[in-house]
Amino acid sequence: MNSQNIYILGIESSCDDTAAAVIHNGKILSNIIANQKIHEEYGGVVPELASRAHQQNIVPVVDQALKKAGITKDQLSAVAFTKGPGLMGSLLVGTSFAKSLAYGLNIPLIDVNHMQAHILAHFIDEEGFDKPPFPFLAMTISGGHTQIVKVNNHFDMEVIGETIDDAVGEAYDKSGKLLGLGYPAGPEIDKRAKLGNPKAFKFSKPKVDGLNFSFSGLKTAILYFIQREVKNNPNFIEENLNDICASIQYTIIGILTDKLKKASKETGIKHIAIGGGVSANSGIRQALKDGESKHGWTTYVPKFEFTTDNAAMIAIVGYLKYLDKDFTTQNVMANARLKI
């Protein structure tokens, strides 16, 4: 295949979004995502329902990605897919489809680590977005993960800090549930936080050694706070919702930035990138930007559409691995607990 004409199809199915993207020499031609609304009524992702929806969505999503990219499947150089981590049933749908397609087309198959992909999304060729130089620190924040990763090169990454219990996305969703907000609660808390006073209510930050995080204690503190205040005033949540959201967001951002400051100081690295679904949060993005003037950081925030689960990030990893001829075999299996 001519090095100037590398087309990679990326497939993502780790949780509740079925996604497919086509990348051409590092530039995204299409990035199609089918969301699953069915989980909203349950207040969280139901794995069995997610798997069934992936089976319904994957063929039309891949078809649409190829059409939008303006190519046929016969022009593909390789197929890249999410091997893990994620929900096993969901991963199996994407893995099986990718293996079958690559086998049928007789082209290379490339397995991708979902968490690495969130970080390497920064290397998609996108006008107005700089690529971080090595080494840099990446904070991956999502519904299932909260990590600080030292990135030495594309595929040499070291987790130097992570949550010991809940992920930051869970902290948002569980807090939102206590406040009567829908699922996912993160975007709603972020929206309301802009209208409230971040210092209206004080929540203590958990004390965790090193660069690790903890969010379960914060969730419990918010629960007791809400129960106490509602007992005194049944309308407390309704009357103070924006201030409560602003105070929760302020505390969560403080927990994240405190550890990031510590990591930067310990490693001496001032190039800081974020990735993962929660990096779409406007408060977190602003706090990172503020770090440029406060701490002398150079920060990297991905394009909004590359923050939440998407196949463009799978495609860029596929492209980078293709250049290294780092392919997998038809014996590859999904791994729900895959580590960086």
Side-chain angles (χ1 to χ4, degrees):
M1 176 67 66
N2 187 313
S3 62
Q4 296 305 306
N5 258 330
I6 300 170
Y7 291 98
I8 308 290
L9 172 68
I11 295 171
E12 155 62 20
S13 69
S14 65
C15 192
D16 62 333
D17 292 322
T18 315
V22 174
I23 194 167
H24 177 227
N25 297 343
K27 192 167 184 63
I28 297 297
L29 300 183
S30 63
N31 186 31
I32 308 298
I33 302 173
N35 304 113
Q36 299 177 8
K37 299 292 184 187
I38 192 168
H39 305 286
E40 292 176 7
E41 60 187 280
Y42 297 98
V45 177
V46 182
E48 178 61 27
L49 294 179
S51 303
R52 292 179 190 177
H54 282 306
Q55 289 177 314
Q56 293 171 341
N57 293 338
I58 195 159
V59 171
V61 164
V62 168
D63 184 56
Q64 197 175 341
L66 291 170
K67 283 177 178 170
K68 188 172 180 186
I71 66 168
T72 67
K73 63 182 185 296
D74 297 317
Q75 290 174 265
L76 291 173
S77 310
V79 179
F81 68 97
T82 302
K83 176 181 176 178
L87 301 173
M88 182 53 97
S90 296
L91 290 167
L92 284 171
V93 177
T95 302
S96 301
F97 184 90
K99 287 167 71 171
S100 302
L101 184 60
Y103 185 79
L105 294 173
N106 195 27
I107 57 176
L109 180 67
I110 301 170
D111 59 326
V112 174
N113 182 306
H114 180 87
M115 298 313 296
Q116 283 188 341
H118 273 305
I119 295 170
L120 295 177
H122 287 278
F123 292 89
I124 295 170
D125 286 338
E126 196 69 36
E127 196 173 335
F129 290 83
D130 295 328
K131 299 172 184 177
F134 301 115
F136 66 92
L137 293 178
M139 185 166 69
T140 56
I141 43 179
S142 67
H145 297 84
T146 305
Q147 299 176 326
I148 298 177
V149 183
K150 182 171 177 273
V151 186
N152 299 310
N153 66 44
H154 291 129
F155 299 108
D156 179 7
M157 301 183 186
E158 177 191 357
V159 178
I160 58 175
E162 60 189 335
T163 183
I164 59 173
D165 43 56
D166 288 351
V168 64
E170 291 174 288
Y172 272 108
D173 288 335
K174 290 175 180 178
S175 299
K177 194 169 186 179
L178 295 172
L179 298 173
L181 302 178
Y183 173 86
E188 183 68 15
I189 290 176
D190 185 27
K191 186 171 77 173
R192 290 186 174 277
K194 295 173 187 174
L195 307 173
N197 175 7
K199 297 184 179 178
F201 307 107
K202 186 172 173 59
F203 301 109
S204 60
K205 296 178 189 173
K207 292 179 173 60
V208 186
D209 291 339
L211 299 174
N212 287 337
F213 302 88
S214 172
F215 291 100
S216 65
L218 174 63
K219 174 200 67 183
T220 305
I222 294 168
L223 170 64
Y224 290 155
F225 165 77
I226 295 294
Q227 288 176 339
R228 185 175 66 247
E229 295 296 337
V230 169
K231 190 175 180 181
N232 297 329
N233 173 11
N235 298 318
F236 176 77
I237 294 176
E238 189 179 325
E239 293 171 3
N240 298 277
L241 187 53
N242 291 341
D243 285 348
I244 299 169
C245 288
S247 300
I248 291 171
Q249 174 134 307
Y250 179 77
T251 307
I252 289 174
I253 290 171
I255 293 169
L256 295 174
T257 54
D258 285 351
K259 293 294 184 176
L260 212 41
K261 280 187 284 185
K262 185 177 172 68
S264 178
K265 190 175 180 182
E266 287 184 6
T267 61
I269 297 172
K270 291 187 176 292
H271 290 275
I272 315 286
I274 58 170
V278 182
S279 67
N281 181 286
S282 66
I284 292 172
R285 284 173 169 243
Q286 188 56 51
L288 200 69
K289 281 293 172 193
D290 291 344
E292 295 191 338
S293 54
K294 287 181 182 177
H295 314 300
W297 294 346
T298 303
T299 62
Y300 304 85
V301 179
K303 190 175 180 181
F304 191 84
E305 69 179 281
F306 302 146
T307 54
T308 53
D309 289 351
N310 66 89
M313 67 183 195
I314 306 303
I316 184 62
V317 180
Y319 174 68
L320 293 169
K321 281 192 164 189
Y322 186 90
L323 295 178
D324 288 344
K325 293 188 166 41
D326 184 3
F327 308 137
T328 190
T329 70
Q330 285 289 328
N331 295 324
V332 67
M333 296 175 67
N335 183 344
R337 297 186 179 276
L338 189 65
K339 303 289 186 186
I340 282 184

